[in-house]
Amino acid sequence: MTIDRRTFVGAAAALATAPAVARAATPAAFASKRPPLGERRFTSRAVEQEMQRVSAKIGDPKLRWMFGNCYPNTLDTTVRLGTVDGRADTFVITGDIDAMWLRDSSAQVAPYVHLAKADPRLAELFRGLIARQARCILIDPYANAYLEDPRAKTTLEWSLKDVTELKLGVAERKWEIDSLCYPMRLALQYWRATGDARPFDATWAEGARASIRTFREQQRKDGPGPYRFLRVSDRNTETMPLSGYGNPMKPVGLIVSGFRPSDDACQYPFLIPSNLFAVSALRGLATVANEAKRDAALAQEASALADEVDAALRAYGTMKLRDGREVWAYEVDGYGNAYFMDDANVPSLSGLSYLGCVAPDDALWRRTEAAAWSDDNPYFFRGRAGEGIGGPHAGMRQIWPMSLIVRALSTSDPAVIRTCLRTIRDTDAGTGFIHESFDQDDPTTWTRHWFAWANGLFGELIVRLATTQPALLAGPM
């Protein structure tokens, strides 16, 4: 049986024998679920003060309890600090898997970046992660997950027999555009928050150039490029067709992605939300290259590719639904074939505004988001426990709280935000944490007990609401 992140439920290292879901009872009281102080991986004075400030603004006692558990979860449980060549090194596991995803690690620490300037230790953590990510990309820019020891072989059972060029230090080698976009986004976030140019050294620039080169290779103007991936599995989302190169595509300037941010294989090779994210991330990279690194050539490389992909998106990235509405497609092939759906994992179509890929009032995106949150999306689920978006990764009927969090982060409508918060609050199965997914009718059936990205994203939402919607946060749900 093929094993992936869905099976990590109930125990931190459970593998093939783990059930796909777990059940939990509601606690008698809202006792903190944080590890004891001496067992926490990292503590930040600024984060603790932020928790106290925001908690005081939350009127609902259960939401306050969940925020207190979730917001510091990445720091409490997933970060490992060290040094490499006398400089900070930060390794961030995803939670219940002992490996670092470029996407997850960037998103996990993002809720703290606004505090980095006020806390030197926290800033050092960010510098260490930016450095580690650059070194990971230089090991293999086609990988999505890495090991702490760059000399080690993968320990992930499902990766051991993959037909691909699996290098030392790589945990899994699923090519996903967003894996390279998230470190670019993190670099911009850190630069804007701190004005600290120290992370942006020659190694960082080399990693950035490797990322741009990989994007160029996967435009596939001169053939399929060096990446292929095959895996023996009973799920077609775990492998790529046609000898591991993916389904046919026409070179039109878009970037091929083998896999989605869910780690599921693409149906059509051009994943539109990830291409939109690439445009945004490359322009952010150009900003950091110009302002922090003073590398005009790198900035020009990034900007030129962003412009090319942006033009291709305008020409090939949209489609019409059956009622004639024009929306962003989820995937296309450049030949005129397009697929509409949405997946809760970000970048998603419904998450484009949150990522800064589109303006919140952009008419095309608003139509697309409305369609994603409707029966036009085969992975939109509605049941007794609530409604939201899931995806193939966890299967039918499984709503991802991440979709609810991103929807609340993408709107200023108090009614929508309140509905999302209420559903999130009432579907934790009494655990005090955010799960990967829950059954649309039975929230006591859920996947992944330790999913730091979702926990941090929830914390990010609450921190934002404390500023933008304090009256909503203070009132009853």
Side-chain angles (χ1 to χ4, degrees), residues 3-31:
I3 306 166
D4 68 8
R5 287 192 286 171
R6 281 171 289 185
T7 63
F8 281 81
V9 183
L15 285 172
T17 58
V21 297
R23 297 178 181 270
T26 302
F30 297 141

Side-chain angles (χ1 to χ4, degrees), residues 53-75:
R53 181 188 73 84
V54 173
S55 293
K57 297 177 179 289
I58 305 172
D60 185 283
K62 186 174 180 184
L63 276 179
R64 188 186 316 121
W65 174 62
M66 292 177 68
F67 173 73
N69 295 330
C70 293
Y71 186 58
N73 185 245
T74 285
L75 299 183

